[in-house]
Amino acid sequence: MCRGALGLLLAGGVLLTGCSGEGSGRSSAADRRGAPAPAATGNGARGGVESGAQEPDGAKRAAGPKESVRPDYLSTFALDVDTASYGYARRTLADGRLPDPGTVRPEEFVNSFRQGYPRPKGNGFTVFVDGARAGAEGGDWSLVRVGLATRAAPPAAERPPAALTFVVDISGSMDSADRLGLVRSSLSTLTDELRDDDSVSLVTFSDEARTVLPMTRLRGHRGRIHDAVDSMEATDSTNVEAGVRRGYEEAVDGHREGANNRVVLLSDALANTGETDADAILERIGSARREYGITLFGVGVGSDYGDALMERLTDRGDGHTTYIADEEQARKVFVDQLPAHLELTARDAKAQVAFDPKTVQRFRLIGYEDRKVADEDFRDDRVDGGEVGPGHTVTALYAVRLRDGASGHVATATVRWLDPRSRAAHEETGEVETGAIEGRLWGGRSTRLQVTAVAAYFAEILRGGELPGAPGLGELAARARTLASETEDAAVSKLASAISGADALRGGRGDTAADTGEGEMD
């Protein structure tokens, strides 16, 4: 185990405002230094550093993450706006249990919090980098935050109409107030919030699937839609395959040109009948996804929840997933965030960060294990990326060790995406210098960076990993409480409560690399 400490880098937000372009051409900024470029590399495993330069023979390695040496300094991943992992972890902790480490994804913890990145005026992204050193205790390790933001979500009246097919799990496992009861109330609220020119259909499934309501315009039919929602009762087993297949059939039948066509799956994802493999399920409706561009939005519910299946379904279904445990979270998803969940700003969006080997010795991408893309596939638009809507932000955190006396260029960050309608490729690229590396993380000027760090440290502890320099859970909870007061953000208060709950369940042991001296990290 690694018993060193992790520092954190790059204080003060640096908006990367380098050149942008279309197609496969690179910006002039990217051409100058550290430009992303195809390179044949594999993907690192959880717990190891993403990449880095090989130490000279005989050199003594400083304490820090074990390094997986590669000949390049590129890090490439599909963008991810999922938040289900954090929502489910909070629910599990509230029930007095620690989450299964396999359900903990640090990027989804981080992306659950408001970041405050500058947003572009039009379609596309801004690219933002900041960070901070941890001081003497952190040694020469740092945490770098790379943030991407789309334009603000438009008012509800300005978005395109929606054609939504709700696929609702009514199996026996859904028979509780916080499952099917929560789904009914959520869809009832949504029915009142949707516009007259929106359309909805409703499919239910247990051991078999059936269409309760074909695609129906809201205008003049809200009462009929409410009746269909209220009629749902739990019964029998869980055949997710039947539900998803019937849902896509309904979505194709009710497809509307110029509208946001979505399948919305609401389930505890505890499949026990029919096909239970996500890839096989989606392969059977592959033509609907490819020809009609219908994406899948997953909404998870329940204290027992099939996280792996839901995540895989939405990843392969070109969509994203969230988790709701109560009425407050449901309203946030179905009302407050509705445009971001319905409309697309970017398809197949990928990010590539090119670290400069002259200044960077090692680096590791924290999380995104399931979203990594081969470096050479960054500009291959046949390779799936992530789907991002208006109002979304995406954050990637890196553990970085700079070379002794490093000065100058640190990294070039590039995001590439396809226009949802024209499929034209666009890029936005910027770079950051060592001159931005000032200040310590804790007590620094960026409270949002500190919240991001707390969320990432918390996730890494829960999944059994270790980041050098991470505070113990007790200290982490205290820092979260301070940040909640400084930001006046209720979401950060809930984060502090979740960390305190985890600390209590672990008996206040702390459980971090920093608690036990030095050594090598798994």
Side-chain angles (χ1 to χ4, degrees):
M1 299 294 165
C2 180
R3 313 303 180 198
L6 170 65
L8 300 168
L9 155 249
L10 287 148
V14 180
L15 178 61
L16 299 181
T17 56
C19 302
S20 64
E22 300 183 6
S24 60
R26 299 179 189 167
S27 70
S28 59
D31 286 338
R32 288 197 300 272
R33 292 179 295 187
T41 62
N43 289 328
R46 176 176 292 179
V49 165
E50 169 82 9
S51 187
Q54 188 168 1
E55 299 273 358
D57 290 341
K60 182 179 180 180
R61 299 190 179 193
K66 180 187 285 187
E67 177 184 5
S68 175
V69 176
R70 299 194 201 152
D72 69 89
Y73 279 75
L74 295 176
S75 172
T76 309
F77 59 95
L79 302 198
D80 185 8
V81 297
D82 292 352
T83 59
S85 176
Y86 175 65
Y88 184 47
R90 276 188 54 215
R91 166 62 187 269
T92 304
L93 290 165
D95 288 344
R97 299 177 289 123
L98 289 168
D100 182 337
T103 68
V104 176
R105 294 179 289 279
E107 67 275 16
E108 296 186 24
F109 277 54
V110 166
N111 286 326
S112 296
F113 296 91
R114 183 162 53 86
Q115 301 289 345
Y117 301 140
R119 294 189 182 276
K121 294 181 179 179
N123 290 332
F125 292 85
T126 53
V127 186
F128 181 91
V129 175
D130 71 348
R133 290 185 178 275
E137 294 181 357
D140 50 6
W141 282 96
S142 305
L143 190 70
V144 180
R145 177 175 68 162
V146 177
L148 308 171
T150 58
R151 61 179 170 83
E158 296 179 10
R159 65 167 172 79
L164 308 177
T165 299
F166 294 101
V167 179
V168 179
D169 182 351
I170 59 167
S171 62
S173 64
M174 291 286 289
D175 191 12
S176 66
D178 66 339
R179 298 190 187 201
L180 187 55
L182 182 58
V183 169
R184 277 196 297 258
S185 63
S186 298
L187 294 186
S188 181
T189 298
L190 180 60
T191 298
D192 293 333
E193 293 290 333
L194 288 171
R195 300 192 322 228
D196 283 350
D197 60 343
D198 293 328
S199 303
V200 300
S201 61
L202 178 62
V203 169
T204 61
F205 69 92
S206 52
D207 55 341
E208 296 180 347
R210 74 184 186 94
T211 300
V212 178
L213 182 75
M215 193 64 74
T216 303
R217 292 287 179 104
L218 271 291
R219 181 181 289 110
H221 297 287
R222 292 182 193 270
R224 180 185 176 195
I225 296 169
H226 277 297
D227 289 343
V229 169
D230 292 342
S231 71
M232 295 187 298
E233 298 291 342
T235 180
D236 298 330
S237 54
T238 310
N239 191 336
V240 174
E241 175 203 358
V244 171
R245 187 168 55 191
R246 173 65 69 87
Y248 269 89
E249 290 172 356
E250 288 296 326
V252 169
D253 287 344
H255 183 269
R256 292 175 58 186
E257 290 294 333
N260 293 315
N261 294 271
R262 301 283 179 274
V263 170
V264 184
L265 173 64
L266 301 103
S267 174
D268 59 14
L270 300 176
N272 55 22
T273 303
E275 180 60 67
T276 59
D277 177 74
D279 290 359
I281 291 172
L282 290 174
E283 181 61 31
R284 297 180 184 183
I285 48 88
S287 60
R289 293 188 296 124
R290 290 188 294 268
E291 295 174 22
Y292 292 90
I294 300 170
T295 59
L296 179 63
F297 175 35
V299 180
V301 296
S303 56
D304 294 318
Y305 169 55
D307 171 79
L309 176 61
M310 185 69 88
E311 185 205 13
R312 186 64 175 167
L313 279 170
T314 55
D315 281 353
R316 296 288 291 169
D318 297 329
H320 57 281
T321 184
T322 190
Y323 178 89
I324 56 175
D326 53 37
E327 297 280 355
E328 180 184 358
Q329 291 176 350
R331 184 168 185 84
K332 181 179 179 181
V333 169
F334 288 111
V335 178
D336 299 342
Q337 300 175 344
L338 186 63
H341 293 313
L342 297 185
E343 194 174 351
L344 282 184
T345 296
R347 280 190 180 275
D348 291 323
K350 307 174 197 136
Q352 187 169 82
V353 181
F355 291 93
D356 194 324
K358 294 180 181 178
T359 56
V360 175
Q361 187 172 12
R362 305 178 193 173
F363 67 90
R364 169 191 171 187
L365 176 59
I366 300 170
Y368 286 94
E369 286 85 5
D370 297 335
R371 309 290 286 181
K372 289 182 179 177
V373 174
D375 295 332
E376 64 269 23
D377 289 338
F378 177 60
R379 291 191 174 92
D380 186 343
D381 296 327
R382 298 168 298 179
V383 175
D384 282 345
E387 277 56 50
V388 184
H392 276 139
T393 61
V394 180
T395 298
L397 285 169
Y398 288 88
V400 175
R401 184 182 181 190
L402 297 183
R403 296 187 181 278
D404 292 341
S407 178
H409 180 250
V410 174
T412 296
T414 302
V415 57
R416 180 180 178 88
W417 72 97
L418 302 182
D419 181 275
R421 301 188 185 281
S422 69
R423 307 291 293 186
H426 302 267
E427 293 186 7
E428 189 71 33
T429 298
E431 51 190 37
V432 65
E433 307 286 316
T434 55
I437 304 172
E438 299 292 342
R440 296 185 180 184
L441 174 67
W442 307 120
R445 59 185 177 180
S446 175
T447 55
R448 286 296 161 187
L449 171 61
Q450 293 176 56
V451 171
T452 301
V454 169
Y457 282 143
F458 182 37
E460 197 67 21
I461 292 170
L462 287 178
R463 71 174 182 168
E466 294 181 351
L467 293 175
L473 284 173
E475 181 182 344
L476 207 58
R479 293 194 181 280
R481 286 192 292 270
T482 298
L483 289 166
S485 177
E486 292 176 354
T487 61
E488 298 182 342
D489 188 340
V492 183
S493 295
K494 293 174 182 177
L495 173 62
S497 297
I499 298 172
S500 294
D503 191 30
L505 289 169
R506 289 185 175 225
R509 298 194 312 269
D511 296 306
T512 73
D515 292 334
T516 51
E518 292 192 357
E520 189 171 66
M521 193 173 186
D522 286 340

